[in-house]
Amino acid sequence: MCGIVGAVAERNVVEILLEGLKRLEYRGYDSAGVALLNDEGDLKRIREVGKVRKLTEAVERDGAPGSTGIAHTRWATHGGVTEENAHPHFSSERVAVVHNGIIENYVPLRKSLSSQGYTFTSDTDTETIAHVVHSMLDNGNSLLEAVKKAVTHFTGAYGTVVIDKADPDKMVVARSGSPLVIGLGLGENFVASDQLALLPVTRRFIFLEEGDVAEVTRRTVTIYDKSGERVEREVVESTIEHDAGDKAGYRHYMLKEIYEQPAVIRNTLQDRIDNLHNVDTLFGHGAENILKQVNHIQIIACGTSYHAGMTARYWLEEYAGVSCSVEIASEFRYRKSVVHENSLLVTISQSGETADTLAALRLAKELGYMSALTICNVPGSSLVRESDLAFMTLAGAEIGVASTKAFTTQLTAFLMLTLSIGKFNGLHEETEQKIIRAIKTLPGKIEEALGTAGVIENLAEEFADKHHSLFLGRGAQYPIAMEGALKLKEISYIHAEAYASGELKHGPLALIDEEMPVIVVAPNDELLEKLKSNVEEVRARGGIMYVFADVDAHFESDDTLRVINIPHCEDITAPIVYTVPLQLLSYYVALIKGTDVDQPRNLAKSVTVE
Ligand code: HGA
């Protein structure tokens, strides 16, 4: 959350900053701002409530060239969505700061800074950073020393970039809890919260580590670690495609990403599905030794990734023969839990920067888990760097805030993990081969499932005036129902609840009437007959149902029941295939409701605050 871009160059950096912000807008779109130091030594700031487009228009209107600059797109945590609270924040028209994270002790800091004579012009926690740095500069410190000393006063999380009017051609950056990457150019250098922002200007990156402070000038990058020691960090060549931020002709990123699923699942499987015996290549050095010994798997994740973990539990217990628990990261990290012997921690995150998941990983290391594996989509991200093992999903950049292709590739990764562990736990070869064959047909099955788009688009009309909805599924389709409900909530703002179908009569049945559409996920599996009984229970109470059903499940459409036929697929891959029409449903309902599909209200991607 919150997008940061900074640049020091010989040329005017305004366009670099604005293009970077546009590419980071998925991280927050409450307001955007830029601060620039020009050749005359002036510090100029332009801020706008709303999207980067508004900032771009304002910059074009006002004109604000500068060869050193910082920019920010905000997802507000402290202080409303106003121009005063938009970043960059200033101290005494000298220091300018952008920040991603939360300064938790901002209240006492504000008090103490106010008593020193500092005036606050915003309600944010961030403004304290500007004033603390300024007070350190006033004590005669260089900008680097000032930031190094300032960060010792903060508790909470920050990725921050500071510039000083009195010391132009320089940025000082600090990272603790929120990601920052330095981009290396020729005679110019950059900083951003995600490499995606800088791909038009460089492919060479240094990922800052926890506690790092760095001074960035046009020609130098000097990094100090958390103990203040000067350190060299590896320079990584990015393999992400330059045009990863394009819509490729689709109306929305989300639609593009839904349609990319066959291809990215193919990528994720390629060279891996036929090499499952090569466990170390799949999950990292030492994986075979670890997976052989695993007695228990603890999956930790948030949001959509949590649903991937919940689905995986069904597979891991049934086919890999290993017990598995799944927990939301923000719960796990704040409770006392029991660690089973030979437990593997598995974290899941698209960005690899999800604050709660990262904190849970760090906690698990202290708790004595045997090993930690992450399933992640961003190479070089914090989760990947800090885990013992990693499986990279190859979904490519996901820009739509509502996750789609990241989810289905996470599930694909879990299928391979299931088979890899199953192999050590006596999974029958015939079953293994059957599953592999099913997995190989996945991209094709998803292509077929995408063929339901026209039918779903028509049905979506019926949701336009609805305020609530219920999603039902059984077995591994229960978390898929949860994911379907989450998608609908996220982008259409329709209240959606998911229940395991068997739970219906334990309460939610009371809600059923013709105003409450019920979406049922009904593959042709061993639970179909049970599910059919649940459908009848809803029908008997006048509910309107939308049943996503296997062509052979023999549901018939009538006045109260609309059947959307889904191509037949194997039980094990069905959760992935059925995800796709639910994504399409939420997309088309959102279109009809006219919401902002890619940047839904109040949300942002890459949740780097807790
Ligand atoms: N706390 C700051 C920054 C918010 C943030 O990082 N969001 O992801 C603010 O509210 O402006």
Side-chain angles (χ1 to χ4, degrees):
M1 283 170 164
C2 282
I4 289 176
V5 196
V8 259
E10 217 131 346
R11 54 176 164 156
N12 183 3
V13 294
V14 177
E15 278 187 15
I16 297 171
L17 298 180
L18 292 174
E19 172 62 23
L21 282 192
K22 226 165 65 196
R23 291 169 157 258
L24 291 186
E25 201 164 32
Y26 66 89
R27 301 176 75 99
Y29 30 83
D30 289 336
S31 60
V34 60
L36 290 141
L37 283 167
N38 66 20
D39 293 343
E40 281 72 54
D42 298 326
L43 177 61
K44 180 156 183 177
R45 170 173 67 179
I46 302 176
R47 299 180 294 177
E48 286 288 329
V49 169
K51 302 219 171 157
V52 175
R53 189 172 24 87
K54 280 189 72 190
L55 177 69
T56 307
E57 285 163 11
V59 169
E60 276 162 12
R61 236 180 6 249
D62 296 6
S67 52
T68 299
I70 54 177
H72 188 267
T73 175
R74 180 171 186 239
W75 185 82
T77 65
H78 291 62
V81 179
T82 61
E83 189 178 326
E84 292 70 33
N85 290 336
H87 301 214
H89 289 287
F90 277 6
S91 181
S92 311
E93 299 290 319
R94 173 179 173 185
V95 171
V97 167
V98 287
H99 166 225
N100 171 202
I102 294 172
I103 303 301
E104 287 172 0
N105 58 335
Y106 79 105
V107 174
L109 280 175
R110 272 177 91 106
K111 270 198 192 128
S112 136
L113 289 159
S114 300
S115 68
Q116 290 169 47
Y118 284 103
T119 308
F120 281 83
T121 57
S122 80
D123 303 319
T124 64
D125 51 331
T126 302
E127 198 180 348
T128 58
I129 302 180
H131 295 316
V132 174
V133 171
H134 186 273
S135 71
M136 297 297 161
L137 287 168
D138 258 2
N139 291 343
N141 292 295
S142 67
L143 181 61
L144 174 66
E145 285 306 319
V147 174
K148 274 182 164 180
K149 288 186 178 156
V151 295
T152 64
H153 292 261
F154 305 138
T155 54
Y158 51 83
T160 187
V161 188
V162 187
I163 56 174
D164 175 11
K165 183 176 162 176
D167 193 4
D169 306 325
K170 181 181 288 175
M171 305 181 282
V172 174
V173 309
R175 177 207 160 138
S176 181
S178 304
L180 275 182
V181 60
I182 293 174
L184 305 174
L186 287 175
E188 53 188 19
N189 286 315
F190 314 95
V191 62
S193 32
D194 184 332
Q195 53 182 306
L196 212 55
L198 302 177
L199 288 178
V201 284
T202 184
R203 306 201 66 85
R204 296 170 63 233
F205 295 103
I206 297 174
F207 294 93
L208 290 183
E209 296 194 4
E210 280 300 280
D212 281 356
V213 176
E215 183 184 70
V216 182
T217 69
R218 285 176 194 161
R219 295 184 199 287
T220 59
V221 174
T222 322
I223 305 172
Y224 301 85
D225 69 10
K226 57 172 172 274
S227 61
E229 292 296 309
R230 202 170 150 178
V231 281
E232 296 297 325
R233 299 261 180 250
E234 191 191 354
V235 177
V236 179
E237 194 84 23
S238 174
T239 51
I240 298 182
E241 284 169 35
H242 172 59
D243 63 358
D246 286 355
K247 280 191 208 149
Y250 284 92
R251 184 161 169 193
H252 293 100
Y253 284 112
M254 183 181 179
L255 193 62
K256 171 183 171 242
E257 288 158 8
I258 289 174
Y259 275 87
E260 278 174 347
Q261 289 176 112
V264 296
I265 288 178
R266 235 174 242 125
N267 287 348
T268 301
L269 290 172
Q270 204 174 27
D271 301 332
R272 288 161 160 172
I273 189 68
D274 288 323
N275 277 310
L276 289 174
H277 54 279
N278 211 338
V279 177
D280 280 17
T281 316
L282 251 59
F283 300 100
H285 183 64
E288 173 152 359
N289 194 27
I290 290 161
L291 297 190
K292 260 182 188 159
Q293 300 176 55
V294 168
N295 264 341
H296 181 75
I297 292 182
Q298 173 68 62
I299 298 176
I300 298 291
C302 306
T304 289
S305 299
Y306 171 68
H307 297 151
M310 283 190 68
T311 312
R313 182 165 70 105
Y314 288 87
W315 297 334
L316 286 163
E317 297 216 344
E318 179 169 355
Y319 299 104
V322 61
S323 69
C324 175
S325 23
V326 191
E327 191 162 352
I328 292 165
S330 55
E331 286 300 308
F332 175 81
R333 65 180 287 198
Y334 289 118
R335 75 178 183 89
K336 300 259 181 296
S337 59
V338 174
V339 184
H340 300 257
E341 205 184 322
N342 288 354
S343 274
L344 173 69
L345 182 90
V346 179
T347 57
I348 323 163
S349 161
Q350 189 283 132
S351 67
E353 303 293 348
T354 313
D356 282 316
T357 311
L358 196 52
L361 167 66
R362 290 174 185 156
L363 171 69
K365 283 184 178 173
E366 286 168 24
L367 293 176
Y369 276 81
M370 176 174 67
S371 188
L373 162 72
T374 190
I375 293 176
C376 184
N377 195 38
V378 179
S381 58
S382 302
L383 274 177
V384 173
R385 286 202 314 270
E386 294 186 31
S387 299
D388 307 304
L389 306 172
F391 184 100
M392 301 312 302
T393 50
L394 301 177
E398 190 180 64
I399 309 287
V401 165
S403 182
T404 52
K405 61 177 181 169
F407 179 66
T408 47
T409 52
Q410 285 165 355
L411 290 175
T412 307
F414 269 118
L415 284 176
M416 287 188 268
L417 180 66
T418 302
L419 291 175
S420 296
I421 298 177
K423 193 166 69 106
F424 301 124
N425 286 355
L427 175 66
H428 205 280
E429 198 180 328
E430 214 175 292
T431 314
E432 185 196 23
Q433 287 309 317
K434 192 173 165 220
I435 294 174
I436 290 176
R437 279 197 300 276
I439 294 175
K440 284 184 174 175
T441 65
L442 245 180
K445 290 288 172 193
I446 291 178
E447 262 151 25
E448 286 180 52
L450 286 167
T452 57
V455 177
I456 294 172
E457 189 174 359
N458 288 335
L459 285 179
E461 299 271 359
E462 300 179 21
F463 286 73
D465 62 340
K466 298 291 183 284
H467 298 289
H468 307 279
S469 61
L470 216 53
F471 283 68
L472 301 178
R474 273 183 178 265
Q477 298 287 5
Y478 164 45
I480 299 306
M482 293 171 78
E483 175 58 12
L486 180 65
K487 285 293 91 90
L488 195 68
K489 275 186 272 214
E490 284 179 306
I491 61 167
S492 78
Y493 316 149
I494 293 177
H495 173 220
E497 292 284 336
Y499 277 92
S501 317
E503 277 291 288
L504 204 55
K505 59 183 88 53
H506 296 284
L509 208 49
L511 296 170
I512 301 296
D513 63 18
E514 64 283 2
E515 289 307 312
M516 169 76 95
V518 180
I519 294 98
V520 186
V521 190
N524 190 7
D525 59 17
E526 58 182 17
L527 299 172
L528 181 63
E529 292 313 314
K530 306 273 172 218
L531 194 76
K532 281 187 168 174
S533 303
N534 302 138
V535 165
E536 290 311 318
E537 289 159 9
V538 176
R539 194 203 293 273
R541 277 134 191 111
I544 307 288
M545 278 170 291
Y546 298 82
V547 183
F548 293 82
D550 189 290
V551 276
D552 299 327
H554 304 300
F555 281 99
E556 304 256 320
S557 287
D558 59 30
D559 285 355
T560 57
L561 194 140
R562 321 259 186 277
V563 181
I564 303 100
N565 281 322
I566 305 298
H568 178 71
C569 49
E570 296 296 327
D571 288 0
I572 191 153
T573 49
I576 305 181
V577 176
Y578 279 71
T579 297
V580 174
L582 297 185
Q583 293 168 343
L584 288 168
L585 178 69
S586 62
Y587 176 77
Y588 286 116
V589 173
L591 265 197
I592 287 163
K593 295 201 74 179
T595 60
D596 191 337
V597 171
D598 285 330
Q599 295 175 343
R601 70 182 182 204
N602 304 341
L603 302 179
K605 212 170 173 69
S606 191
V607 184
T608 52
V609 295
E610 59 168 304

